Amino acid sequence: MNRKDSKRKSHQECPAKTGGRGPPRQARRHKTCPSAREISKVMASMALDMLKEGGCSEDELLEKCIQSFDSAGSLRRGDHILNMVLAMHSWVLPSTQLADRLLTLYQEATGNTQELRRLQICHLVRYWLTQHPETVHQEPQLEEALGRFWATVEQEGNSAQRSLRDSNLLSPGGPGPPHSMSSPGLGKKCKVSLLFDHLEARELAQHLTYLEFRSFQAITGSVRGCSALEGSVGLSNSVSRWVQVMVLSRPGPTQRAQVLDKFIQVAQSLHQLQNFNTLMAVTGGLCHSAISRLKDSHTHLSPDSTKALLELTELLAAHNNYSCYRRAWAGCTGFRLPVLGVHLKDLVSLHEAQPYRLPDGCLHLPKLNSLYLRLQELAALQKQHPPCSANEDLLHLLTVSCPAQAGLPEAEPGVLRVRVLGG
């Protein structure tokens, strides 16, 4: 066998080699570059490693926040721990008590570092009000406590400390709760029909998305006792009932099938816009028992519409802890609105799973950090810009058309229960 035959035989015995160039490459790891979310979690873990592993006392954590500032008010290191404490402290310590502790530390500062320490505390209070202004709305007594702090600074502090006070920060503005939904019931059929009949499915989905985003954006501060959160849930329930009203108000199976088909198109457009919260409301309305038992109406739907509704229902199904939705959500980029109830249920589960304090009384930092990261993900979504514009007149008409109290039964379990915390 000559050399040429030997080469030919060796290529035949090694089919994995393509083109006969060099040895076969090793399989590369897929997606080696970490995502922004993974990077933020790693940075958060590195920041927590700077403290005692597992937890630390309130005084140690507060001292860490004070030492985050230099004399000019600049941050000496990353701001993750600082923002976590300022955002999450109310879960373990009322904001009024935090302000009183800072006042006590200000008054107790002595020695050669007195002026620097007091200045750092003033920078911390100013940063707190600047970056987290919603805290004043959560606790009415906080403004009084902060007033005592700044009054003490006026009496005992120097000009540099007094200059950090800004009276406007004590009454921060911010988006309030969304306007209450009107409850016209079934009486305003002309407006309902005008809106529904003269808007294309895509345009209707865009306006619903704009309305949903405005409601979602109004949720600020703590999720406990938040009127804006109640308004968001009310909006979802209203949209779901409006779908039912529009279907049931038509006289015959053919007309009802036309309404069903249009709302299925609206749901598909909502899916394309990645507005999962309103998609849940519309799909829930289409799957309600009052609609599902309209067998004659469903027989008039095209196979494509029936298949599309089935796929959307499976996407939002509650089995396996909404696994289909979670997979779809994880792959989303750009503008998107989550099924708020699913993510709030995650917060509730984390809230109930472990105590906030360890047996020795120290704060359980990993739990606080996990809650903080999840809340930050939702807060980041509030800074998005809607992918479409909206007509204010149509928005108003859409608002008054959604019957919040149309005399229909409450949303039943299954697809709809996600919008209510704990089911």
Side-chain angles (χ1 to χ4, degrees):
M1 181 186 299
N2 58 28
R3 182 178 296 181
K4 188 177 294 185
D5 292 337
S6 176
K7 273 189 175 181
R8 187 180 297 113
K9 184 176 181 180
S10 110
H11 285 311
Q12 291 173 354
E13 292 174 352
C14 302
K17 295 181 181 181
T18 58
R21 300 179 187 172
R25 297 179 180 178
Q26 295 181 354
R28 293 183 179 179
R29 183 185 166 200
H30 185 54
K31 292 183 179 179
T32 56
C33 182
S35 64
R37 183 181 302 178
E38 292 172 336
I39 292 175
S40 64
K41 288 184 177 181
V42 171
M43 295 299 292
S45 300
M46 291 174 62
L48 286 176
D49 288 341
M50 298 169 62
L51 300 172
K52 286 168 51 179
E53 184 177 355
C56 69
S57 66
E58 295 174 1
D59 293 336
E60 290 174 324
L61 201 56
L62 192 56
E63 184 64 28
K64 193 72 178 178
C65 293
I66 294 174
Q67 296 303 322
S68 297
F69 296 91
D70 59 17
S71 59
S74 301
L75 293 174
R76 291 175 168 175
R77 55 186 68 88
D79 61 353
H80 179 82
I81 294 179
L82 176 63
N83 284 319
M84 184 194 73
V85 173
L86 295 179
M88 303 302 301
H89 71 272
S90 61
W91 294 68
V92 293
L93 180 71
S95 297
T96 304
Q97 293 186 22
L98 177 60
D100 290 338
R101 286 196 181 191
L102 289 173
L103 174 58
T104 301
L105 292 173
Y106 180 89
Q107 294 173 324
E108 292 177 349
T110 57
N112 297 331
T113 60
Q114 179 190 51
E115 299 302 322
L116 174 60
R117 182 168 179 79
R118 286 186 168 187
L119 190 58
Q120 289 174 316
I121 295 175
C122 291
H123 280 302
L124 173 58
V125 174
R126 182 180 177 85
Y127 183 90
W128 181 14
L129 295 179
T130 303
Q131 300 299 321
H132 303 272
E134 68 279 354
T135 54
V136 178
H137 290 305
Q138 296 175 26
E139 293 188 33
Q141 300 83 3
L142 177 58
E143 186 172 353
E144 181 181 348
L146 291 172
R148 291 194 299 269
F149 175 85
W150 289 117
T152 303
V153 173
E154 287 289 333
Q155 295 176 359
E156 304 179 12
N158 56 28
S159 59
Q161 298 165 19
R162 290 193 296 269
S163 66
L164 294 176
R165 179 179 184 179
D166 187 347
S167 58
N168 294 329
L169 295 177
L170 293 179
S171 300
H179 298 292
S180 58
M181 299 291 293
S182 300
S183 305
L186 296 172
K188 298 188 178 182
K189 290 183 180 178
C190 57
K191 287 188 176 182
V192 172
S193 299
L194 178 65
L195 177 69
F196 182 79
D197 294 336
H198 294 275
L199 279 182
E200 296 294 331
R202 177 73 179 182
E203 189 176 5
L204 183 56
Q206 289 175 343
H207 281 76
L208 285 171
T209 298
Y210 195 91
L211 198 63
E212 180 71 49
F213 178 68
R214 193 163 66 179
S215 177
F216 174 67
Q217 199 175 34
I219 303 174
T220 58
S222 174
V223 297
R224 296 172 295 179
C226 179
S227 59
L229 177 58
E230 296 174 1
S232 179
V233 174
L235 174 62
S236 295
N237 289 331
S238 297
V239 170
S240 182
R241 290 169 180 161
W242 178 56
V243 172
Q244 300 167 43
V245 168
M246 288 303 304
V247 175
L248 296 174
S249 62
R250 298 305 162 102
T254 304
Q255 294 89 341
R256 288 194 290 267
Q258 293 174 351
V259 178
L260 285 171
D261 185 69
K262 184 165 185 176
F263 271 120
I264 291 173
Q265 295 177 36
V266 170
Q268 289 176 307
S269 296
L270 290 170
H271 189 200
Q272 294 171 359
L273 292 168
Q274 299 185 140
N275 177 4
F276 291 96
N277 207 47
T278 310
L279 175 60
M280 174 71 80
V282 173
T283 305
L286 293 173
C287 295
H288 192 274
S289 59
I291 308 299
S292 298
R293 61 171 167 255
L294 301 175
K295 303 300 182 183
D296 291 341
S297 300
H298 281 85
T299 57
H300 288 80
L301 289 176
S302 66
D304 290 340
S305 295
T306 303
K307 179 182 177 182
L309 179 59
L310 180 61
E311 290 175 348
L312 292 174
T313 304
E314 292 176 350
L315 171 66
L316 301 172
H319 59 76
N320 292 330
N321 195 19
Y322 301 93
S323 58
C324 293
Y325 159 72
R326 291 182 188 276
R327 282 195 298 270
W329 177 254
C332 288
T333 58
F335 179 86
R336 57 200 183 279
L337 290 174
V339 179
L340 195 56
V342 173
H343 299 269
L344 291 179
K345 285 178 70 175
D346 291 343
L347 288 174
V348 171
S349 299
L350 185 58
H351 169 69
E352 298 292 339
Q354 296 174 322
Y356 284 98
R357 295 183 183 273
L358 300 175
D360 58 359
C362 291
L363 296 176
H364 190 193
L365 292 183
K367 175 174 181 174
L368 286 174
N369 187 57
S370 296
L371 284 169
Y372 173 69
L373 290 176
R374 283 166 172 78
L375 289 172
Q376 284 301 106
E377 288 181 8
L378 296 177
L381 295 175
Q382 293 179 315
K383 300 177 182 179
Q384 303 176 106
H385 296 285
C388 51
S389 58
N391 183 293
E392 286 296 331
D393 293 334
L394 289 178
L395 283 177
H396 176 71
L397 189 59
L398 182 60
T399 301
V400 300
S401 296
C402 294
Q405 296 174 350
L408 291 173
E410 281 293 328
E412 58 190 2
V415 175
L416 288 176
R417 69 181 177 187
V418 67
R419 292 193 308 279
V420 183
L421 294 182

